[in-house]
Amino acid sequence: MTWKNAGSWAGRDDGPGARNARWHNTIKPWHAGEGAGSALLGFASDEGVRRNKGRTGAKTGPAALRAALSSISLQEPARLFDAGDIAVDGQELEAGQEEFAHALAGLLQDGQFTVGLGGGHEITFASYAGIAKALGVDGHWSLGCLNIDAHFDLRVADQASSGTGFAQIAASEAAAGRAFRYAAVGISEASNTKVLFDRAAELGVQVLLDTDCHLGNIDAVRNFVADFAGSVDHLYLTIDLDALPASVAPGVSAPAGYGIGLEVVRAIVVAAATSGKLIHADIAELNPDLDIDQRTARTGARLVNDLIMNKG
């Protein structure tokens, strides 16, 4: 694995001052002791997608998300930091996950609210491991994992992949003597076998199907998130862009044939951000090679922006 500086940010410049603020002229490189803010940390990897037999290309997702974020306007003052990327070299996924976890723990211990930029959904276990390091691996805290996704990612396999993240978390929590707290929103019955649904039931996963995630049911969706957040000490949110319809998010490893609308996904993100429990979030599965007119990148960037602006 290698660490990469994120490089320069560039975008539209309408003039100086807070009233003309955009991401590119506000964000700064992160250095320890900067003071509390929101910090981005990229995970440039699609090895987990390859292992899961998906369409590779997500390794360049962090750069595409930054490019889409660059010109987004900031309506309120924000302290924004960029901590660069952890890049997976070749097939060294496990080493990359460990390095990402180490970097993430350092950011959290420095007082940052952190957002991971994927990369494939193998970022999930790396994010969890970083949170656990920051909180104390053998501590008695409870962590709720809220996943916006068409898939459970509960596969059990010989090698870690983009589809094994929550099975790995379940095993790690059990080893530490903590309960596995997992809520999955947007799950597709067409994309998960009966084995995976049975495994989710055995593990006590709270599930909201994609067919339940619509504007007519938005209050129930928000309550689902609020109730889950209220039941744990800390909340981790992961956003898999393949939960969105393919028309909105074509640039993913596995486009959704049904999906849940952007308005609903945004409502879930805002509910998590305003819960008072959110410690870390990440966004995954952007594949710029397969994107159309930067639709997926722009959607992902808007969600990251709204997440941070509502987190406060």
Side-chain angles (χ1 to χ4, degrees), residues 85-106:
D85 289 345
I86 302 300
V88 171
D89 295 330
Q91 298 180 17
E92 300 297 318
L93 173 58
E94 290 79 5
Q97 288 175 318
E98 184 176 345
E99 184 64 21
F100 183 92
H102 177 76
L104 177 60

Side-chain angles (χ1 to χ4, degrees), residues 43 100 116-118 120-128 236 282-284:
F43 191 51
F100 183 92
L117 306 178
H121 217 182
E122 58 265 32
I123 195 176
T124 299
F125 186 67
S127 286
Y128 161 80
Y236 156 46
D282 59 40
I283 189 163

Side-chain angles (χ1 to χ4, degrees), residues 44-111:
S45 169
D46 57 15
E47 171 59 15
V49 175
R50 185 194 69 80
R51 293 181 185 183
N52 202 33
K53 300 180 174 58
R55 304 186 299 176
T56 57
K59 190 167 187 174
T60 58
L65 284 166
R66 288 187 179 93
L69 277 165
S70 286
S71 288
I72 290 182
S73 301
L74 297 172
Q75 301 301 316
E76 301 291 339
R79 289 175 54 79
L80 303 173
F81 301 109
D82 192 344
D85 289 345
I86 302 300
V88 171
D89 295 330
Q91 298 180 17
E92 300 297 318
L93 173 58
E94 290 79 5
Q97 288 175 318
E98 184 176 345
E99 184 64 21
F100 183 92
H102 177 76
L104 177 60
L107 290 167
L108 290 169
Q109 289 167 344
D110 191 58

Side-chain angles (χ1 to χ4, degrees), residues 223-267:
N223 289 338
F224 179 91
V225 175
D227 290 346
F228 182 66
S231 70
V232 296
D233 296 330
H234 306 283
L235 184 67
Y236 156 46
L237 168 67
T238 182
I239 307 165
D240 188 326
L241 289 165
D242 75 15
L244 290 151
S247 58
V248 175
V252 294
S253 62
Y258 186 90
I260 59 178
L262 179 57
E263 299 93 338
V264 178
V265 171
R266 184 182 181 277

Side-chain angles (χ1 to χ4, degrees), residues 12-307:
R12 181 183 176 94
D13 192 345
D14 293 314
R19 295 177 68 188
N20 290 310
R22 297 178 187 270
W23 269 76
H24 74 88
N25 57 23
T26 300
I27 197 164
K28 300 176 181 178
W30 174 77
H31 301 288
E34 289 278 2
S38 297
L40 304 180
L41 180 64
F43 191 51
S45 169
D46 57 15
E47 171 59 15
V49 175
R50 185 194 69 80
R51 293 181 185 183
N52 202 33
K53 300 180 174 58
R55 304 186 299 176
T56 57
K59 190 167 187 174
T60 58
L65 284 166
R66 288 187 179 93
L69 277 165
S70 286
S71 288
I72 290 182
S73 301
L74 297 172
Q75 301 301 316
E76 301 291 339
R79 289 175 54 79
L80 303 173
F81 301 109
D82 192 344
D85 289 345
I86 302 300
V88 171
D89 295 330
Q91 298 180 17
E92 300 297 318
L93 173 58
E94 290 79 5
Q97 288 175 318
E98 184 176 345
E99 184 64 21
F100 183 92
H102 177 76
L104 177 60
L107 290 167
L108 290 169
Q109 289 167 344
D110 191 58
Q112 305 303 317
F113 170 64
T114 49
V115 179
L117 306 178
H121 217 182
E122 58 265 32
I123 195 176
T124 299
F125 186 67
S127 286
Y128 161 80
I131 295 168
K133 282 179 182 287
L135 294 176
V137 174
D138 296 323
H140 297 294
W141 39 267
S142 61
L143 177 69
C145 300
L146 177 63
N147 183 25
I148 303 174
D149 200 338
H151 307 93
F152 280 119
D153 290 349
L154 281 170
R155 293 183 183 278
V156 176
D158 294 335
Q159 278 191 313
S161 76
S162 62
T164 63
F166 288 102
Q168 292 173 270
I169 293 172
S172 295
E173 289 288 84
R178 291 186 296 266
F180 177 51
R181 305 300 306 278
Y182 177 24
V185 184
I187 292 295
S188 167
E189 289 186 318
S191 300
N192 296 272
T193 63
K194 185 67 163 54
V195 167
L196 291 171
F197 271 97
D198 289 346
R199 187 169 297 145
E202 290 167 6
L203 291 169
V205 180
Q206 297 179 46
V207 181
L208 205 57
L209 297 175
D210 54 1
T211 50
D212 296 320
C213 295
H214 54 83
L215 289 176
N217 199 37
I218 195 66
D219 288 342
V221 173
R222 288 195 183 103
N223 289 338
F224 179 91
V225 175
D227 290 346
F228 182 66
S231 70
V232 296
D233 296 330
H234 306 283
L235 184 67
Y236 156 46
L237 168 67
T238 182
I239 307 165
D240 188 326
L241 289 165
D242 75 15
L244 290 151
S247 58
V248 175
V252 294
S253 62
Y258 186 90
I260 59 178
L262 179 57
E263 299 93 338
V264 178
V265 171
R266 184 182 181 277
I268 297 165
V269 168
V270 170
T274 57
S275 68
K277 298 293 184 70
L278 189 63
I279 186 172
H280 170 71
D282 59 40
I283 189 163
E285 295 291 340
L286 169 60
N287 186 331
D289 294 346
L290 302 170
D291 211 358
I292 300 170
D293 297 330
Q294 296 181 300
R295 288 181 205 168
T296 317
R298 290 177 183 275
T299 298
R302 175 61 189 264
L303 291 171
V304 170
N305 177 77
D306 290 355
L307 169 70

